[in-house]
Amino acid sequence: MQKNPFHVGLVLAVFFAISFITNILGPLFPAFVDNFQISLWLAGLLPFSFFAAYGVTSIPAGMLIHNYGEKPVMLVAFTLALAGSLAFAMYPVLHIAMISLFMIGAGMAMLQVAINPLLRTAGGEENFAFFSVMAQLVFGGAATLSPLVYTGLTQALNDTNQSSFVISFLRSIMNTDMAWVSMYWLFAIIALLFICLVAVIRLPKVELREDEKVGALGSTLSLFKQKTVVLFFIGIAAYVGTEQGLANGISLFLQRYHGLPPETIGAETVSQFWMMLTIGCLLGLLLLKLIDSRYVLLGFSSGAVLALSCALLGSSDIARIAFPATGFFLSVMWSIIFSLAMNSLAKDHGSFAGILCTGILGGAVASPIVGFIADTSGSLRMGLCFLFIPLAYIFSIGLWAKPLITNKTLSFNESLPERQQA
């Protein structure tokens, strides 16, 4: 099918929606804790619900797409997101929140699996690298914008002088003592708009490449017998756990240790965290043209440890700078770990990619562990120190990874003569 800019725009819009919805959990975390009066361990089960669904749905979603195509799966995904958002928006209680987040997480996972091959087909094979970078920027932009929208929406609902039609309508259908729940009404509107859009659009037929095909469940699980597969699966889980554990803890940490309001300064700092993560991706692209990716991973993981230490031990002003700086150093980790993993296996790349995406389960595990340590020790700072463990593992990948193909740099790396340059 001929390249279609409209289809490319649709896919990029879906990337935006996924990120906008997924990355709001951090700014909302203090609101969940305060409104439901729950422990940090129990609060950690909220992102667990979301990312557990994300993890367990990735491989089945690939199989569904193989059997039914992208469009039906995307419609089901947005329907799940719509139902989950409406459920909590109308009944904002703790057990509904967990069910809601599981449904939304499952929908977002299905979309992630569907849109990458669709982007390649819509934009053309020769433009895939360019549009992939653009998708990363869109994803980061949405993550940066989402906390700011949360701040603006809650402030408008709490401001009696605000009387626009949208604000008045939201006040009439929800409890203004829980203004943050308005974000779920917004998610429902976004999901509904995409259901209508995808339903009327004819999507291009996608021919999956061999490295995009997910094998049968049995063959996929058999890959876990390989040490390399297990080690890189843990690496992806370690990265997502660090990213989400930190994003969910920033606003609450600033509130508890520095008395900063989570709805404004907390959300703004989380927004800056995602913005710096996006900026770091751009710098990472340049560095990977100059330096072996393993050295970049070693440098950035060291920087992340230093920045996180400053955030946890420094003053209020230092913390507000150091948390976003940690996001900057996390920026290249996903892409480097993923590429090192794929380049370390000679075949079964489609099934391996599905396994790696299942490593998103790391985002489900980190927050409950951080919460449990914080509750038992009485210190959120101590809980967030747990994140040094996955960062240490990520650092170790730069030491033991032995890819069959290394990233091509501008100068030939003579220290690796036996390995083919990509």
Side-chain angles (χ1 to χ4, degrees):
M1 193 171 193
Q2 191 175 13
K3 295 188 288 292
N4 189 319
F6 179 77
H7 289 147
V8 172
L10 173 65
V11 174
L12 293 177
V14 173
F15 269 108
F16 184 93
I18 292 172
S19 179
F20 189 89
I21 294 172
T22 299
N23 294 312
I24 194 60
L25 277 174
L28 293 182
F29 205 72
F32 277 111
V33 173
D34 292 342
N35 280 266
F36 295 135
Q37 293 294 299
I38 53 178
S39 67
L40 293 182
W41 175 82
L42 188 56
L45 293 181
L46 292 164
F48 174 87
S49 299
F50 185 91
F51 284 99
Y54 228 96
V56 302
T57 309
S58 294
I59 292 176
M63 297 175 180
L64 286 173
I65 290 169
H66 178 72
N67 292 327
Y68 301 104
E70 285 75 18
K71 184 170 181 173
V73 171
M74 290 176 69
L75 287 172
V76 171
F78 279 118
T79 301
L80 281 171
L82 173 62
S85 300
L86 284 177
F88 184 69
M90 292 188 291
Y91 305 102
V93 294
L94 184 60
H95 67 279
I96 297 296
M98 292 186 177
I99 296 171
S100 166
L101 287 169
F102 186 90
M103 294 173 69
I104 296 172
M108 296 302 101
M110 295 170 74
L111 289 172
Q112 286 267 36
V113 176
I115 59 178
N116 280 297
L118 190 58
L119 180 62
R120 175 180 56 78
T121 300
E125 185 88 31
E126 69 278 12
N127 299 316
F128 185 46
F130 172 80
F131 286 126
S132 293
V133 174
M134 185 177 291
Q136 281 188 322
L137 294 177
V138 169
F139 196 91
T144 302
L145 180 63
S146 189
L148 302 180
V149 172
Y150 161 63
T151 297
L153 194 54
T154 53
Q155 285 181 334
L157 285 167
N158 291 324
D159 185 355
T160 55
N161 294 322
Q162 289 279 354
S163 58
S164 66
F165 171 78
V166 173
I167 298 301
S168 298
F169 175 73
L170 286 173
R171 286 189 185 129
S172 68
I173 60 174
M174 59 177 290
N175 179 4
T176 53
D177 290 335
M178 298 175 67
W180 56 278
V181 176
S182 59
M183 290 300 293
Y184 281 82
W185 287 107
L186 180 57
F187 298 159
I189 293 171
I190 292 172
L192 182 60
L193 288 174
F194 273 100
I195 289 172
C196 297
L197 190 59
V198 173
V200 300
I201 290 175
R202 183 188 174 193
L203 296 178
K205 180 176 176 57
V206 176
E207 296 293 338
L208 294 179
R209 301 182 308 195
E210 285 303 312
D211 62 353
E212 291 173 333
K213 294 178 181 178
V214 176
L217 184 59
S219 63
T220 298
L221 294 177
S222 69
L223 285 174
F224 272 110
K225 296 178 182 178
Q226 299 185 40
K227 181 181 178 181
T228 299
V229 172
V230 174
L231 290 175
F232 278 109
F233 171 82
I234 295 172
I236 290 293
Y239 167 74
V240 181
T242 303
E243 176 198 273
Q244 292 300 318
L246 185 56
N248 293 334
I250 289 174
S251 187
L252 193 61
F253 182 90
L254 293 176
Q255 179 189 35
R256 293 198 170 185
Y257 286 94
H258 302 297
L260 301 176
E263 299 88 356
T264 52
I265 295 178
E268 177 186 326
T269 306
V270 176
S271 172
Q272 292 169 352
F273 169 83
W274 290 114
M275 180 179 68
M276 293 302 293
L277 196 146
T278 305
I279 292 173
C281 285
L282 294 176
L283 177 60
L285 290 174
L286 174 62
L287 288 176
L288 290 173
K289 285 296 181 183
L290 302 173
I291 308 172
D292 187 297
S293 63
R294 288 166 294 179
Y295 300 144
V296 177
L297 187 62
L298 290 172
F300 272 59
S301 54
S302 300
V305 169
L306 179 61
L308 181 56
S309 300
C310 292
L312 297 180
L313 300 175
S315 65
S316 170
D317 290 339
I318 291 175
R320 291 179 62 186
I321 296 172
F323 276 127
T326 308
F328 174 84
F329 288 113
L330 293 180
S331 60
V332 300
M333 293 181 183
W334 169 277
S335 58
I336 290 180
I337 296 170
F338 205 97
S339 62
L340 284 173
M342 297 298 286
N343 288 335
S344 298
L345 213 63
K347 59 180 182 178
D348 297 321
H349 288 153
S351 296
F352 191 20
I355 288 173
L356 292 175
C357 288
T358 307
I360 290 174
L361 279 167
V365 175
S367 290
I369 293 177
V370 169
F372 177 77
I373 295 172
D375 288 337
T376 53
S377 67
S379 168
L380 176 59
R381 179 180 283 117
M382 187 66 67
L384 287 171
C385 282
F386 165 77
L387 300 179
F388 289 117
I389 296 175
L391 282 174
Y393 186 86
I394 292 169
F395 178 88
S396 76
I397 295 174
L399 300 176
W400 54 254
K402 293 180 173 59
L404 303 174
I405 302 172
T406 60
N407 59 299
K408 184 177 181 180
T409 59
L410 295 179
S411 59
F412 185 76
N413 190 341
E414 296 182 355
S415 65
L416 300 169
E418 76 281 6
R419 296 192 184 107
Q420 177 185 353
Q421 290 285 320

